[in-house]
Amino acid sequence: MCGIVGYIGKEKALPKVLSGLKFLEYRGYDSAGVAYIYDNEIKITKEVGRINSLEKLLDLSIPSNIAIGHTRWATHGEVNIINSHPHKVGKFTVVHNGIIENYLKIKEKLQKEGIIFKSSTDTEVIPALLDYYYQKENNILKAIVKTINELEGSFALGIICDDDKNNLYAIRRGSPLIIAPSNDGIFIASDIPAILNYTNKYILLNENEIVKLSKNEYQIYDNKLNKIIKEIKIYEGSQDDAMLNGYDHYMLKEIHEEEKVFLDTFNYYVENNKFKDTMPNFKKYQNIHIVACGSAYYVGCIAKSLIENYANIPVYASVASEYRYQKNFYDQNTLVIIISQSGETADSLEALRKAKNDGIDTLAIVNVAMSSIAREAKYTLYVKAGPEIAVATTKAFLAQTTLIALLTIKLQGQNDLLKEFIGLEKHIRELLNRNYQEYAKIISKSNNTFFIGRLVDYALCLEGSLKLKETSYINSVAIQAGELKHGTISLITDNTLVIGICTKKDISSKTISNLKEVKARKANIIYITNEFIEDNFYDQIILLPKVNDIVMPILTVIPLQLIAYEVAKIRGCDIDKPRNLAKSVTVE
Ligand code: M6R
């Protein structure tokens, strides 16, 4: 998703803005650009492709003290220099993260006023509208208010005006934006990693809050231009969180953090085999809806299995982009749980708002502190994964799965199962230290891979399949093992790769039968299980430690993640920034 960094201060702005943009690369982008003030003029440089290409076009030694930068992930208009940000119309130059839903209507109105548009983006209407209202109001803040009152959709904006070369302006609605004061100046940024090289202080902006920044101070306003004072927060993680620290890729680094992430999440909620106050009581809820996107939705599928089995509460898991438009049946005893690493995913956020509007209680399971979903839900449970930079989620998935297992036990109302977590970190470590090269080599040669499993194992198949698709671009399908013979088995021929996941003893014979059916069609089988059996239906076996079903998914996902990583590496893929993907999907 798009990323914004801006700086105003005593130092040279361009190196800081570019360094910040590099830390936002994980969000996914296809072009980048900067605007800066030099020689009393606003200069704009944009380039398609990586930030390094943009950097080559810039003289970083220029003594410019104000700059705004942007990484664009195309939504409206193809990837080219004209559509890249910043966009300038009249006296206003803008970088934008989000989507303006009513941009066509605004464009038409402004075209009638004689304004000419150069790009096919939705963003260009923003500087055009700012300029239009500025001509009427002759006041930048008032022009911003009038503009945002007319915009529908989501936006975080960095703004510079030709008539005010000593200030930078910013505003957010729906898309994330922080302000970060440092010793020599002030930043705006879409996310904390962008500023950690310079400061660990940050301020979270609420919806529709406007900021005016100068070299050494800032003023925040509400949308009626009343001044507001906001708390400065201190980021408690270290700068290392956003660094590779010797690893080739963030994905690998983050997978290797899973032992710590598991312990941090567990210890945040449990002490001496008892839940701490950090885990509220959800006893009153008799049915649960889980809503999320992508991998977070697959955690929701794991949750369905665990909560129904152990806590005896019906759970409906839905993808957020469907949930927000479908008819939902709930009552006052329904709890809607939104799972999201970033806490900013547009569909998940809207699903949360829909449930709230219907008067239903909501619980957010989120990694990023104070993100929109975390702030808007009635209850929030944080997973302790720390910043996740690689686009493909790994450690956050493991942390969410850990928290779901804990929540299941809380809903069940007995603490006995908490003992199953004790010592699990040793199994995590052992799985992380294994070598998965031989499996990765086989998978890297396959153009089509099938993951099959039942119930909770099917949820893990979905995650294994997505991890493979997104990082290595190998087509793969996850299917419920018993469903295979209703159509998909027609695709199984000589050497088709089938990965079978089977960790639940009570249904293992069923999944094994399905694997034998594909073996009879000469499939090549990798069998992932926690129970060794001597049989000839598989070609390769990955034997997992045998632990209680409540914690088993925490372990099962680890080889799936490491295999996806190794396969992507063999195939020379852009592992941390897969093509077309964004870390946090803040548009519908
Ligand atoms: O930030 P969220 O957890 O809400 O993101 C949801 C999905 O976009 C995310 O899990 C996505 O599927 C990842 N690329 C998976 O690796």
Side-chain angles (χ1 to χ4, degrees):
M1 202 46 44
C2 305
I4 290 176
V5 183
Y7 171 81
I8 178 165
K10 295 179 202 136
E11 301 281 321
K12 289 177 189 146
L14 281 177
K16 291 180 191 272
V17 166
L18 281 183
S19 146
L21 286 180
K22 285 179 186 165
F23 280 104
L24 296 183
E25 283 192 305
Y26 72 91
R27 297 164 73 85
Y29 70 104
D30 38 54
S31 48
V34 286
Y36 53 98
I37 299 178
Y38 177 57
D39 247 358
N40 209 29
E41 256 181 58
I42 294 181
K43 316 262 186 196
I44 297 178
T45 307
K46 319 196 236 187
E47 183 58 306
V48 167
R50 294 296 178 213
I51 293 167
N52 286 343
S53 315
L54 172 72
E55 193 168 356
K56 285 185 190 139
L57 304 176
L58 292 165
D59 176 359
L60 298 190
S61 63
I62 280 174
S64 161
N65 304 109
I66 305 183
I68 48 178
H70 189 263
T71 47
R72 173 177 188 245
W73 189 79
T75 56
H76 294 62
E78 62 182 270
V79 178
N80 61 31
I81 291 187
I82 293 178
N83 288 337
S84 307
H85 301 210
H87 286 280
K88 184 168 200 280
V89 179
K91 294 183 169 174
F92 284 83
T93 305
V94 163
V95 287
H96 168 218
N97 173 15
I99 280 192
I100 305 305
E101 285 160 8
N102 59 339
Y103 80 103
L104 283 175
K105 201 172 136 203
I106 298 173
K107 201 168 180 173
E108 240 168 65
K109 167 183 134 171
L110 294 175
Q111 276 167 334
K112 282 187 194 142
E113 300 283 334
I115 294 173
I116 295 164
F117 289 88
K118 295 183 203 128
S119 76
S120 358
T121 63
D122 54 334
T123 298
E124 204 180 358
V125 302
I126 304 172
L129 211 50
L130 284 166
D131 197 58
Y132 173 78
Y133 283 121
Y134 181 64
Q135 284 178 32
K136 295 188 187 309
E137 299 286 341
N138 202 24
N139 177 303
I140 296 174
L141 285 169
K142 284 186 184 164
I144 292 176
V145 171
K146 289 234 159 165
T147 298
I148 62 165
N149 285 346
E150 203 164 322
L151 297 178
E152 287 168 19
S154 59
F155 47 85
L157 304 174
I159 304 166
I160 323 181
C161 175
D162 285 2
D163 283 354
D164 181 2
K165 302 211 176 72
N166 294 317
N167 293 294
L168 194 160
Y169 296 81
I171 158 89
R172 77 166 282 267
R173 181 197 297 163
S175 299
L177 197 70
I178 56 164
I179 319 168
S182 76
N183 289 338
D184 55 59
I186 308 166
F187 290 85
I188 57 168
S190 301
D191 200 358
I192 289 173
I195 50 99
L196 283 181
N197 260 344
Y198 306 103
T199 177
N200 62 353
K201 294 187 195 135
Y202 67 100
I203 298 160
L204 290 161
L205 289 183
N206 283 333
E207 298 280 276
N208 297 314
E209 285 177 351
I210 303 165
V211 203
K212 179 178 179 180
L213 304 106
S214 62
K215 268 186 190 165
N216 36 31
E217 57 183 13
Y218 58 88
Q219 178 60 57
I220 307 174
Y221 302 88
D222 66 15
N223 61 350
K224 303 218 163 36
L225 295 182
N226 299 309
K227 292 184 176 177
I228 339 178
I229 308 290
K230 299 202 66 155
E231 180 199 356
I232 298 183
K233 295 182 178 293
I234 305 291
Y235 175 72
E236 278 163 12
S238 80
Q239 201 175 318
D240 282 2
D241 292 346
M243 302 289 190
L244 275 170
N245 292 342
Y247 283 93
D248 287 345
H249 299 97
Y250 284 106
M251 183 176 174
L252 188 63
K253 176 192 173 221
E254 287 160 7
I255 296 172
H256 279 277
E257 285 168 359
E258 288 182 335
E259 181 187 344
K260 176 175 185 308
V261 160
F262 163 77
L263 286 172
D264 287 352
T265 303
F266 178 70
N267 291 329
Y268 187 73
Y269 291 102
V270 179
E271 196 170 19
N272 298 328
N273 264 341
K274 285 201 186 91
F275 282 108
K276 300 193 211 169
D277 292 345
T278 43
M279 175 67 83
N281 201 332
F282 298 103
K283 257 200 167 151
K284 87 170 226 211
Y285 300 105
Q286 283 160 22
N287 64 77
I288 292 176
H289 292 195
I290 301 188
V291 191
C293 300
S295 293
Y297 164 69
Y298 304 148
V299 175
C301 298
I302 295 174
K304 175 179 168 64
S305 236
L306 296 186
I307 296 172
E308 288 184 344
N309 274 341
Y310 287 95
N312 221 19
I313 298 171
V315 177
Y316 307 91
S318 305
V319 290
S321 52
E322 297 283 315
Y323 189 86
R324 56 185 289 199
Y325 298 114
Q326 75 194 25
K327 186 160 182 173
N328 299 308
F329 297 91
Y330 32 47
D331 57 36
Q332 291 313 307
N333 296 319
T334 304
L335 178 66
V336 173
I337 303 180
I338 309 287
I339 305 177
S340 175
Q341 185 283 129
S342 62
E344 300 293 348
T345 302
D347 284 319
S348 305
L349 181 57
E350 288 309 321
L352 167 84
R353 288 176 177 162
K354 180 184 180 190
K356 275 179 75 179
N357 280 342
D358 289 342
I360 304 303
D361 287 353
T362 54
L363 161 65
I365 294 185
V366 173
N367 186 35
V368 177
M370 300 309 287
S371 50
S372 301
I373 292 174
R375 282 185 283 170
E376 291 191 27
K378 174 169 177 148
Y379 310 99
T380 297
L381 296 180
Y382 284 112
V383 298
K384 296 289 169 184
E388 195 178 60
I389 307 287
V391 164
T393 184
T394 53
K395 61 174 179 169
F397 185 98
L398 186 130
Q400 288 160 347
T401 306
T402 303
L403 182 47
I404 283 297
L406 292 173
L407 180 64
T408 301
I409 298 169
K410 184 73 186 181
L411 288 165
Q412 186 200 37
Q414 293 160 15
N415 286 348
D416 288 7
L417 280 169
L418 287 176
K419 67 177 185 308
E420 302 298 339
F421 288 74
I422 307 300
L424 201 74
E425 69 278 8
K426 293 192 194 93
H427 292 305
I428 295 176
R429 195 182 320 142
E430 189 268 316
L431 285 169
L432 290 174
N433 289 334
R434 284 193 203 176
N435 187 333
Y436 299 92
Q437 286 285 339
E438 60 174 314
Y439 314 104
K441 276 186 200 145
I442 297 168
I443 299 170
S444 68
K445 291 186 197 123
S446 141
N447 288 326
N448 255 324
T449 300
F450 295 84
F451 284 79
I452 69 168
R454 287 170 183 258
L455 302 173
V456 73
D457 291 328
Y458 170 60
L460 286 143
C461 285
L462 289 165
E463 175 59 7
S465 169
L466 182 68
K467 249 356 34 119
L468 191 62
K469 277 187 280 230
E470 64 181 342
T471 58
S472 69
Y473 314 144
I474 290 178
N475 181 40
S476 88
V477 173
I479 181 156
Q480 296 96 333
E483 190 60 16
L484 201 61
K485 58 174 121 18
H486 296 285
T488 311
I489 200 165
S490 65
L491 294 172
I492 310 290
T493 57
D494 275 19
N495 269 325
T496 308
L497 188 60
V498 177
I499 299 173
I501 303 181
C502 183
T503 65
K504 274 182 71 63
K505 196 171 172 49
D506 49 342
I507 45 158
S508 62
S509 63
K510 305 289 173 194
T511 306
I512 289 171
S513 294
N514 301 130
L515 285 166
K516 287 184 175 172
E517 284 158 14
V518 296
K519 191 69 215 167
R521 273 96 191 155
K522 301 199 170 58
N524 184 14
I525 296 179
I526 299 178
Y527 184 46
I528 302 179
T529 183
N530 54 6
E531 184 100 47
F532 180 75
I533 51 164
E534 214 155 331
D535 204 333
N536 58 1
F537 69 87
Y538 55 81
D539 299 277
Q540 311 277 333
I541 185 167
I542 298 179
L543 193 59
L544 304 169
K546 189 148 184 62
V547 293
N548 190 288
D549 282 357
I550 191 92
V551 287
M552 193 63 227
I554 301 169
L555 301 184
T556 311
V557 75
I558 297 171
L560 302 175
Q561 296 171 341
L562 280 166
I563 287 172
Y565 171 80
E566 295 293 350
V567 175
K569 200 167 168 194
I570 293 171
R571 288 168 65 98
C573 298
D574 193 352
I575 297 180
D576 287 332
K577 301 182 283 282
R579 67 180 175 219
N580 302 337
L581 291 182
K583 179 68 180 163
S584 154
V585 184
T586 53
V587 293
E588 188 174 350

